[in-house]
Amino acid sequence: DVEAREVMVVEANTSPWSDRSDLGCTMDPIAIEYPWVAWRDIRRLDELAYPWDAMAKNIETGETINLSNDPVTGERVWGSVVHVDLRGGLAVFNAGWVIGDPSRVFMEIVAVDLGNGARRQITSAPGEQYYPTVTEDWIAWVDLREPGGSSTMACSADIYGQNRLTGEELPLVAEGDALHEAPLD
């Protein structure tokens, strides 16, 4: 609290795996819009891989929500979170999962309305969509629709966005390979 000059612990990583440097536990990146704080949370081990979740906490009420879980069943729906952002009561994050053949990895953008808990997948395009950001009017992300490419190798990436009011999705910056591994003159 900047005004009151008070420091508080919003959340602490209490993972039993935190002492294993080869696995690493972390809570980043962090996004804040009072009274909400959102972050990517890596604190438990499942079958040799971390389920990287998106979390949010209301610092007024103390309510903590795992945004990666279905609010009704409590089952994990969206995992492998890499980035989280927050604006206008909307948390956005990218989530990844594998269906069938392990080479079929899906990485899409998910949004959660922190007011009513509604969750929805924003993207469903081929390729990977990641590093979302949100403003009052737009949700934007890096979009890799090139077949066979992934966020871990040189590829052609664009920036797509969705207008929050109309729901229309469109390319905001489509520069072929100029955004990723571009040659310098």
Side-chain angles (χ1 to χ4, degrees), residues 155-158 175-183:
C155 56
S156 180
D158 299 317
E175 294 295 326
D177 63 356
L179 295 175
H180 203 77
E181 300 289 327

Side-chain angles (χ1 to χ4, degrees), residues 73-146:
T73 66
E75 291 183 28
R76 188 162 186 266
V77 179
W78 296 293
S80 299
V81 173
V82 174
H83 187 79
V84 180
D85 198 16
L86 175 64
R87 179 68 53 130
L90 189 71
V92 295
F93 58 94
N94 63 285
W97 60 92
V98 176
I99 296 179
D101 179 353
S103 65
R104 292 203 54 208
V105 175
F106 294 84
M107 189 179 294
E108 304 293 347
I109 307 302
V110 177
V112 178
D113 183 319
L114 296 173
N116 63 23
R119 290 155 168 80
R120 63 189 174 101
Q121 186 175 319
I122 299 294
T123 59
S124 62
E128 296 181 1
Q129 289 74 43
Y130 50 94
Y131 289 126
T133 189
V134 62
T135 69
E136 296 294 333
D137 300 318
W138 287 90
I139 299 169
W141 59 89
V142 176
D143 198 296
L144 180 68
R145 296 184 182 197
E146 181 179 300

Side-chain angles (χ1 to χ4, degrees), residues 153-174:
M153 57 191 260
C155 56
S156 180
D158 299 317
I159 299 173
Y160 273 69
Q162 183 184 74
N163 182 304
R164 288 179 65 179
L165 180 63
T166 66
E168 178 185 17
E169 177 186 301
L170 56 119
L172 302 177
V173 179

